[in-house]
Amino acid sequence: MPFADLRALHAVIGAAIDKIEAEYKGQSPPLEYPSLDTPYYVSQPHTPAEDRAEALKLTDAVFAAANEIVAACGQLTATVHKPFFQLVETVNGANIVALLHFVEQVHIPEILREAGPSGLHVKDVAGKVAELRRATPGAVEVDVDPSKIGHILRALATYHWVREVTPDVFANNRLTSFIDSGKSLEQLMDTPQKKYDETDGVAAFVGMAGEEVSRLMSNFTPWLLEGGLATNATNGLLLKRACGSDKLYYEWLEEPGNEHLLLRFGHAMNGTRYWETAENIIHGFAWNKLPKDAVVIDIGGGIGSVSVVLSQAYPDLKFVVEDRAPVVAIAREAWGSKHAELFDSGRVSFHAQNFLEEHQPFELAGVGTVNQPDVFLARAVAHNWPDKDVVKILTILRRAAGPHTKLLLVDNLLPYACVDDKADLSSESKGAVRSLVPEGSPLLPNLGKASANGYILDISMMRLFDAKERTYREFDALTRAAGWRITEVKRAVGSLWAYTTAVPV
């Protein structure tokens, strides 16, 4: 790469920092950018300045500038880092997953939160870990070697996931605090099985990623080479290799003995709301144009995380969360006392319905019989299924739709990693894009490292479900095959998530 290209990437970083600084300094009073060294616990109160500084990170201008920094830094690193070192870090990435899983499972973020900003010596961390393990039903009691705790935390500190304050003394930083459940050590001692209840679900997401998802990943290449590369390969094939089950993933979660996995999965899906900002889902569709008491069916909606957000923003609408019966059975309990007014008032309700089966009319309090809803909302549904099953699901919804029914698909729309000269920029939906960066930018057209989440999720869906995230062209073909026509696409700021509206044809 010529020096001019290196300096162009450097200039992108400098210009983006200038944009962010202007946004923060332009506040009254001016704000500082949040420090990596300072924890921000979502479960705890903050000063007004701290909350404003955190909220500003999610505004369109700051989010977009931050993505430019991440993309440029990733491209610079790939350019100047020794290739073998880059290779070693990449192929051993599972080590970091395992370490994050470990610290979540033994509650180190919670231990360090209670220790405070001065941190805790690894001997004391080891003692707390041993104490909590003794209180956990079924946990094997072992002597915890403080040295091993130190080496684990030091590796994570090198990746900025925790802070080493002084030798062998560690404290939470902004990233560690993000996976803190907010539960006290006393609560974790008394009821460890309720760690994820009434939380934002991020700790549960780490737990799921480090356990069943990692087991699937370790079998990914053999699965691909032994049939997984075929179009519409058997959905459960990889699960059988990794977990010994012929069932589909959701069916396996519902098997006796997996109750804790099913509950954790529900909480983990709640945590995936951070892929988007609340403003994106709130403004990704013309909810305000729906009539009073319009019925929105949130298919495959889990415990109702998205419907809760939408109901708070649009109190005149009725949100019905549909999922498999075992999920519906635990949905209210998973929320505890949170949002009780939404559930008790009927603004958010739950209904057992398998979206692979014909959609059945149902009774809704205050509305009557629901035959044809105003909206079918399918957030993160299509990416869980191979193309043939997506067509089946959308066709079932088409048969249940009325002339007025709209379909809102919320999934990643993956751009190509090159300029798309064949993109139809004149299409009605405005869904196609040529590039995510301005003409002449040195950055990858898909924003490279800043968009990595979408492509990582794409491969996760392949290994979990023989499914995928999709390009706009792929989504357009699937909706047309099922009797729908895409009329509008709103892309989220700062991520590859998109809000794709379709109507019956």
Side-chain angles (χ1 to χ4, degrees):
M1 175 178 280
F3 282 107
D5 293 339
L6 292 175
R7 296 198 180 280
L9 291 170
H10 177 261
V12 167
I13 297 169
I17 292 174
D18 289 342
K19 293 175 189 175
I20 294 174
E21 185 173 17
E23 292 290 327
Y24 275 78
K25 298 302 184 185
Q27 302 298 306
S28 181
L31 297 172
E32 280 293 341
Y33 195 80
S35 168
L36 175 61
D37 287 344
T38 304
Y40 184 87
Y41 299 106
V42 297
S43 61
Q44 294 188 348
H46 313 97
T47 67
E50 287 172 333
D51 282 333
R52 289 200 306 273
E54 194 68 22
L56 203 56
K57 291 174 69 175
L58 301 179
T59 58
D60 291 358
V62 174
F63 209 153
N67 272 352
E68 291 175 351
I69 294 172
V70 173
C73 287
Q75 201 163 325
L76 270 174
T77 300
T79 303
V80 303
H81 204 22
K82 186 175 180 179
F84 184 71
F85 290 170
Q86 183 97 335
L87 176 66
V88 169
E89 289 181 30
T90 302
V91 299
N92 288 286
N95 289 349
I96 303 304
V97 176
L99 297 185
L100 284 172
H101 184 231
F102 170 78
V103 301
E104 185 278 320
Q105 290 286 284
V106 299
H107 320 303
I108 286 178
E110 291 81 6
I111 292 171
L112 294 182
R113 173 182 20 94
E114 295 202 356
S118 297
L120 199 63
H121 194 278
V122 290
K123 290 181 180 178
D124 298 311
V125 175
K128 294 287 187 183
V129 168
E131 185 180 2
L132 286 163
R133 293 292 288 170
R134 286 193 292 270
T136 303
V140 178
E141 285 192 39
V142 295
D143 291 329
V144 181
D145 182 353
S147 174
K148 289 184 177 178
I149 296 292
H151 280 258
I152 288 169
L153 294 180
R154 192 164 297 111
L156 288 175
T158 304
Y159 281 85
H160 307 291
W161 274 103
V162 70
R163 183 165 65 98
E164 189 164 17
V165 183
T166 58
D168 287 323
V169 174
F170 292 88
N172 281 341
N173 66 3
R174 192 164 218 80
L175 295 185
T176 334
S177 68
F178 190 59
I179 59 175
D180 169 39
S181 68
K183 296 297 173 71
S184 68
L185 297 188
E186 183 180 0
Q187 287 175 307
L188 294 173
M189 291 277 287
D190 292 344
T191 53
Q193 72 278 11
K194 294 186 176 182
K195 176 179 181 178
Y196 307 129
D197 289 0
E198 300 185 60
T199 71
D200 64 2
V202 173
F205 181 77
V206 174
M208 183 185 74
E211 193 169 342
E212 60 262 36
V213 175
S214 288
R215 288 164 65 186
L216 289 167
M217 195 69 231
S218 66
N219 286 272
F220 188 50
T221 297
W223 173 74
L224 285 173
L225 296 176
E226 295 174 15
L229 281 173
T231 302
N232 292 325
T234 305
N235 191 306
L237 182 61
L238 182 52
L239 188 67
K240 182 175 182 178
R241 173 180 283 276
C243 303
S245 175
D246 289 317
K247 295 182 179 294
L248 303 183
Y249 180 70
Y250 295 113
E251 296 170 341
W252 173 74
L253 285 175
E254 295 165 4
E255 286 188 330
N258 286 345
E259 291 84 0
H260 67 295
L261 298 180
L262 177 62
L263 185 60
R264 184 175 66 186
F265 177 82
H267 288 297
M269 293 304 98
N270 187 23
T272 66
R273 288 181 301 168
Y274 286 106
W275 268 319
E276 316 157 77
T277 64
E279 286 72 19
N280 282 338
I281 187 65
I282 288 171
H283 302 300
F285 180 80
W287 304 106
N288 59 336
K289 294 184 179 180
L290 295 174
K292 188 178 187 299
D293 289 333
V295 176
V296 179
I297 296 182
D298 182 0
I299 73 161
I303 62 175
S305 305
V306 173
S307 285
V308 163
V309 171
L310 288 171
S311 181
Q312 290 173 319
Y314 301 99
D316 290 337
L317 304 181
K318 300 283 189 180
F319 292 88
V320 181
V321 183
E322 292 189 339
D323 215 306
R324 295 166 65 90
V327 177
V328 169
I330 65 172
R332 277 296 302 268
E333 179 186 353
W335 287 105
S337 60
K338 293 178 69 175
H339 309 303
E341 75 284 357
L342 299 182
F343 305 129
D344 293 341
S345 67
R347 285 163 54 192
V348 178
S349 58
F350 298 90
H351 177 239
Q353 169 72 54
N354 186 335
F355 53 58
L356 290 171
E357 299 172 357
E358 288 301 315
H359 196 271
Q360 301 300 318
F362 59 91
E363 296 298 316
L364 183 61
V367 175
T369 303
V370 177
N371 289 296
Q372 298 171 338
D374 295 272
V375 180
F376 278 119
L377 165 62
R379 178 193 178 273
V381 171
H383 78 166
N384 289 342
W385 298 91
D387 288 350
K388 63 180 178 61
D389 291 317
V390 174
V391 172
K392 178 180 179 179
I393 293 165
L394 297 184
T395 301
I396 289 172
L397 297 182
R398 175 63 185 88
R399 286 196 288 266
H404 68 292
T405 302
K406 288 184 170 58
L407 170 68
L408 177 61
L409 297 164
V410 184
D411 270 300
N412 281 290
L413 281 187
L414 299 183
Y416 297 95
C418 61
V419 172
D420 182 9
D421 288 325
K422 297 181 180 179
D424 182 7
L425 302 181
S426 64
S427 67
E428 173 192 7
S429 69
K430 307 298 182 186
V433 293
R434 187 171 183 272
S435 173
L436 297 184
V437 302
E439 199 73 34
S441 171
L443 300 176
L444 277 178
N446 66 352
L447 274 175
K449 186 69 179 293
S451 295
N453 262 262
Y455 299 92
I456 290 170
L457 187 59
D458 180 30
I459 301 305
S460 295
M461 294 304 100
M462 189 185 301
R463 73 185 186 223
L464 274 170
F465 307 116
D466 185 33
K468 58 189 172 186
E469 305 296 327
R470 294 175 171 87
T471 65
Y472 172 73
R473 290 193 189 109
E474 289 172 326
F475 246 128
D476 186 49
L478 294 178
T479 51
R480 289 178 183 276
W484 298 90
R485 176 173 58 85
I486 295 176
T487 58
E488 185 178 22
V489 174
K490 289 188 176 181
R491 292 180 180 270
V493 174
S495 78
L496 300 182
W497 284 83
Y499 306 86
T500 303
T501 300
V503 297
V505 293

